[in-house]
Amino acid sequence: GQSHEIQTIFCHLSAISHMLLHSYFIFDRPDCPQVRRGPDPILSATLSFLVQCFQELLTAFSFRWHVAPCEAEAELAYFQLCGLIDTVVTPYNDALLFGAHCVIHSIPQSSKCEDVKVYMSDAIENLVSLEWGDLLIVALMSSADNDVGCCWCSMDIACQLTHYGFSRTLFQAANTLQFVKFMEFIAKWHDDICEVLRTDPHLFLGCRHHELAHVIKEECIKFPDPAILAMYLLPLTLWSHGSHPPVSIVTSHQPDLMSLATFCSEHLCWPLDMVHSRLMDAWAGTAMCTLLQVSLVLCQVCLLT
């Protein structure tokens, strides 16, 4: 039930509170369209309530957070590009497509916080020769179709197709052409991909893919969707339209133990002795935040001197 999920959130935040790091949390806008991840079975009214509890707990733990104007991954990527954070922790790889250069995923079904996968944009480019534009093409072609919930192109074929330079021509057109001309370009670009899949003129694909070409030509006629391209090429963030981020530096603050005790009593219905026991980690978090604040002050003093 919800109480179990809230307790899980509490335990994770409690563990994070005494780690040697400064954390910042960003949420998707509540009505943000999930246009690229396929059907998400957990989206419901229950999720909205859990997000509210999550945010209340973040405030009680004194973690900084805000709701993004649109995609949280885009906001996190800009935080990283501006040097406010070192890495992005998210279950979605598309943070890389928004420009993040280091993304951490937790290992599913693992109970250890240190069990993670780390994705580096430099490593991806060097090891598999995929630049940012190539990654976007691969993601657009191999992601789940929102209508049917399955992929219409394998990741292997999408990666092989990047050798034909379709990402370079697409993003050059997106950056230079007016909308009407761009839509004319997209129609020809769409047909060119189908032709390459049918013929494989330079043998980059290893074989011809007539069926896939037919699927793109007849069923995926909106590929690539201009709205999705715009979402990645011109993401809406707090930096858009000359706005500014909510912080100039990401730092830590001591947890509000009284607020945490009140939250646990009201939402988790824990008795007083259990509240006291479960807040022991928060006490450790208070000590850790103090050490981090002292370290930050010492660094600033060193920079000044």
Side-chain angles (χ1 to χ4, degrees):
Q2 295 177 5
S3 177
H4 173 74
E5 292 163 333
I6 296 171
Q7 182 174 336
T8 300
I9 294 172
F10 175 90
C11 291
H12 282 301
L13 292 180
S14 182
I16 292 172
S17 71
H18 54 84
M19 292 180 180
L20 285 170
L21 52 82
H22 300 292
S23 301
Y24 194 99
F25 295 79
I26 301 179
F27 294 84
D28 282 333
R29 190 184 71 203
D31 59 344
C32 180
Q34 304 297 313
V35 295
R36 67 201 182 285
R37 298 172 188 155
D40 191 337
I42 69 169
L43 290 179
S44 63
T46 300
L47 180 60
S48 177
F49 174 74
L50 290 175
V51 168
Q52 180 183 344
C53 291
F54 194 169
Q55 293 168 348
E56 289 181 25
L57 270 175
L58 287 174
T59 300
F61 273 102
S62 296
F63 288 121
R64 297 293 302 273
W65 64 272
H66 75 269
V67 178
C70 193
E71 293 283 344
E73 283 73 32
E75 194 90 342
L76 287 165
Y78 271 73
F79 261 61
Q80 192 173 49
L81 291 170
C82 292
L84 293 172
I85 57 176
D86 294 316
T87 188
V88 173
V89 182
T90 172
Y92 300 114
N93 278 327
D94 57 356
L96 292 167
L97 304 180
F98 286 113
H101 52 79
C102 179
V103 176
I104 293 178
H105 285 189
S106 59
I107 303 295
Q109 310 304 323
S110 174
S111 59
K112 298 180 180 179
C113 294
E114 61 269 23
D115 287 345
V116 297
K117 294 180 179 179
V118 180
Y119 298 87
M120 306 287 293
S121 59
D122 289 345
I124 294 173
E125 183 173 346
N126 294 331
L127 292 176
V128 295
S129 301
L130 290 178
E131 300 177 354
W132 175 81
D134 297 327
L135 283 177
L136 182 51
I137 293 296
V138 171
L140 292 176
M141 295 192 70
S142 60
S143 60
D145 187 295
N146 278 4
D147 293 327
V148 298
C150 62
C151 300
W152 49 268
C153 177
S154 73
M155 189 172 294
D156 287 341
I157 296 175
C159 288
Q160 294 162 357
L161 197 60
T162 62
H163 296 301
Y164 280 99
F166 284 110
S167 63
R168 288 189 292 275
T169 57
L170 176 63
F171 296 117
Q172 181 181 2
N175 290 324
T176 59
L177 299 180
Q178 297 294 327
F179 180 76
V180 174
K181 291 292 185 181
F182 179 72
M183 294 308 295
E184 294 174 355
F185 166 85
I186 282 293
K188 183 179 184 304
W189 185 89
H190 182 275
D191 291 342
D192 289 344
I193 281 187
C194 294
E195 181 64 21
V196 164
L197 287 169
R198 283 192 294 264
T199 62
D200 190 18
H202 299 303
L203 306 180
F204 291 144
L205 304 180
C207 64
R208 299 175 181 179
H209 298 279
H210 294 279
E211 184 176 350
L212 179 57
H214 176 78
V215 169
I216 295 176
K217 184 74 173 179
E218 302 298 331
E219 300 178 24
C220 302
I221 57 176
K222 292 184 179 180
F223 170 78
D225 189 332
I228 299 179
L229 283 176
M231 182 185 69
Y232 286 115
L233 297 175
L234 298 170
L236 180 61
T237 70
L238 289 179
W239 281 262
S240 304
H241 312 300
S243 300
H244 299 285
V247 295
S248 58
I249 186 172
V250 174
T251 186
S252 299
H253 301 276
Q254 295 182 358
D256 184 338
L257 298 178
M258 184 61 71
S259 295
L260 285 173
T262 302
F263 181 94
C264 293
S265 297
E266 293 180 353
H267 291 280
L268 298 172
C269 301
W270 288 347
L272 186 59
D273 58 338
M274 186 174 182
V275 170
H276 183 271
S277 173
R278 299 303 293 270
L279 288 184
M280 291 304 295
D281 282 342
W283 278 105
T286 300
M288 187 59 67
C289 285
T290 301
L291 292 174
L292 288 171
Q293 288 169 343
V294 170
S295 174
L296 181 61
V297 170
L298 290 176
C299 289
Q300 291 173 336
V301 169
C302 289
L303 289 174
L304 289 174
T305 58

